[in-house]
Amino acid sequence: MSRIFAISDLHTDYEANMEFVESLPSRPDDVLIVAGDVSDDIPRLVETLSILKAKYNEVYFIPGNHELWINKTDLAPNSLVKLFEIVRHCNAIGVQTEPGKVRCLDGSDVWIVPLYSWYAGPDDDPKNTLYVPGGLTSWKDLTLKEMGWSDAYFCKWPPLKRRASGSCPSLAQLFADMNTERLTNDYDAPVITFSHFVPRPELMRASVQDETEIALERNIMGLPSPDWKEKEFGTRFNFSRVAGSNILDRQLRKIGSMIHVYGHQHRNRDRTIRRVRYVSHCLGNPRESSEGITWGIATWAGPKLIHGHC
């Protein structure tokens, strides 16, 4: 019988982050959700997930954007081929990438359902984008390459097949289509879904509570109370261009999810919107975690308990 913990954006290409993973306590009766962005290097990804699998009863994982970068050591010709290669590696080490049922401490069951996703841009998928034009005065509307956005350089996509209508699906829709079977499963218990990308536009902005949580996190870490407000993504560029897709929210609500875990934005959240609890619990890069910006990491000494008794 298990409790369910969650974390994302471990980025173990940073040695400090790998040391963090290695130092996590063992919870052999519990389940861990890892919502993407562990490493673009498959050997490092497998090493990290193997360490976590040795500490937890089960580990559930979905790739993020970093996993789909094509680097010099990759044999995969494109990012979609690499995605399925990663799934095969996960299967080989016993890490779950398919929906599964977990028995909780109180004897109840819960389904954990991974959802594939990508972000919808304002140009390629205006219907599903989370894009907010000029949403903050500091946001700059640049192209992805002008932003220096690494996906624009390191992700390689095959030609997308045209539909009967003659149009090509966006990447956000292509990834969403991978979830079709998962949307129609007969889930006979409450559902926790997770993705890498952001499912709703409201989650991009910090609330007063988020700023309070950062101050509490810094206090736990022995740091002075901040005299600054949380710096939003967008001080350099308009992050909403690459945040996520509202297809995700439609899908998780079609499934009937009670909790949705996500990552990507390196800003942590715990909010309930229209009866769904949304949790982002990112480790982020060493600067972000050491400054308490990804609040909750020190509070929980690692992954966050999202379901089950303490």
Side-chain angles (χ1 to χ4, degrees):
M1 294 187 181
S2 303
R3 300 173 298 173
I4 300 172
F5 290 80
I7 199 165
S8 73
D9 298 85
L10 289 169
H11 293 292
T12 53
D13 297 309
Y14 294 108
E15 287 304 321
N17 286 17
M18 185 55 125
E19 291 170 5
F20 168 89
V21 169
E22 293 170 336
S23 71
L24 291 175
S26 292
R27 293 180 169 129
D29 295 326
D30 294 326
V31 171
L32 178 66
I33 291 170
V34 182
D37 271 13
V38 173
S39 176
D40 66 288
D41 180 67
I42 287 182
R44 177 55 66 108
L45 170 65
V46 170
E47 180 186 7
T48 305
L49 293 176
S50 296
I51 291 170
L52 295 172
K53 184 66 177 69
K55 293 175 182 287
Y56 285 83
N57 181 37
E58 294 287 0
V59 173
Y60 284 78
F61 173 71
I62 201 78
N65 52 312
H66 279 241
E67 275 82 24
L68 301 193
W69 292 358
I70 301 296
N71 61 42
K72 293 179 181 178
T73 63
D74 283 320
L75 299 178
N78 61 60
S79 296
L80 282 183
V81 172
K82 186 175 182 182
L83 170 67
F84 297 117
E85 183 181 344
I86 287 169
V87 169
R88 287 194 295 272
H89 280 287
C90 288
N91 291 339
I93 61 175
V95 167
Q96 305 296 326
T97 59
E98 296 284 332
K101 188 188 285 188
V102 173
R103 177 61 54 88
C104 300
L105 279 178
D106 62 2
S108 66
D109 292 331
V110 63
W111 280 91
I112 298 179
V113 181
L115 294 177
Y116 291 104
S117 61
W118 199 258
Y119 44 83
D123 303 315
D124 68 308
D125 195 345
K127 178 183 176 181
N128 294 306
T129 188
L130 301 187
Y131 172 67
V132 181
L136 291 174
T137 57
S138 57
W139 283 4
K140 297 178 182 178
D141 274 315
L142 309 173
T143 68
L144 297 192
K145 289 198 173 182
E146 287 172 339
M147 287 163 57
W149 189 246
S150 296
D151 295 351
Y153 297 92
F154 297 127
C155 289
K156 301 185 186 302
W157 304 107
L160 301 184
K161 293 182 179 179
R162 291 188 177 276
R163 294 176 166 177
S165 63
S167 63
C168 285
S170 67
L171 286 171
Q173 187 63 60
L174 179 71
F175 277 76
D177 289 347
M178 297 180 193
N179 300 325
T180 300
E181 186 174 328
R182 301 180 184 195
L183 304 183
T184 56
N185 282 357
D186 183 16
Y187 300 109
D188 57 358
V191 177
I192 296 172
T193 51
F194 72 101
S195 63
H196 179 64
F197 293 99
V198 182
R200 293 183 69 94
E202 306 98 306
L203 297 167
M204 291 185 288
R205 299 291 294 269
S207 67
V208 172
Q209 181 62 30
D210 293 321
E211 293 168 0
T212 300
E213 293 289 355
I214 291 174
L216 292 172
E217 182 86 349
R218 287 173 63 85
N219 183 59
I220 290 170
M221 299 168 70
L223 298 174
S225 296
D227 57 2
W228 43 268
K229 290 190 174 183
E230 180 198 14
K231 294 181 174 63
E232 296 282 357
F233 269 102
T235 54
R236 292 174 294 117
F237 58 81
N238 190 336
F239 175 70
S240 69
R241 282 184 172 273
V242 294
S245 165
N246 60 36
I247 305 175
L248 263 172
D249 204 56
R250 294 199 298 271
Q251 290 191 330
L252 68 90
R253 287 176 180 274
K254 183 173 182 178
I255 292 172
S257 178
M258 63 174 180
I259 302 173
H260 184 77
V261 176
Y262 68 99
H264 186 52
Q265 64 184 5
H266 291 209
R267 297 294 186 269
N268 291 349
R269 308 283 186 250
D270 194 334
R271 297 182 192 165
T272 298
I273 303 173
R274 293 178 54 207
R275 297 183 297 281
V276 177
R277 180 185 175 196
Y278 298 88
V279 178
S280 172
H281 190 66
C282 307
L283 176 61
N285 64 49
R287 181 191 64 82
E288 291 164 328
S289 55
S290 67
E291 293 182 2
I293 293 174
T294 50
W295 63 262
I297 294 295
T299 304
W300 288 99
K304 182 174 187 172
L305 178 65
I306 62 165
H307 189 71
H309 300 291
C310 292

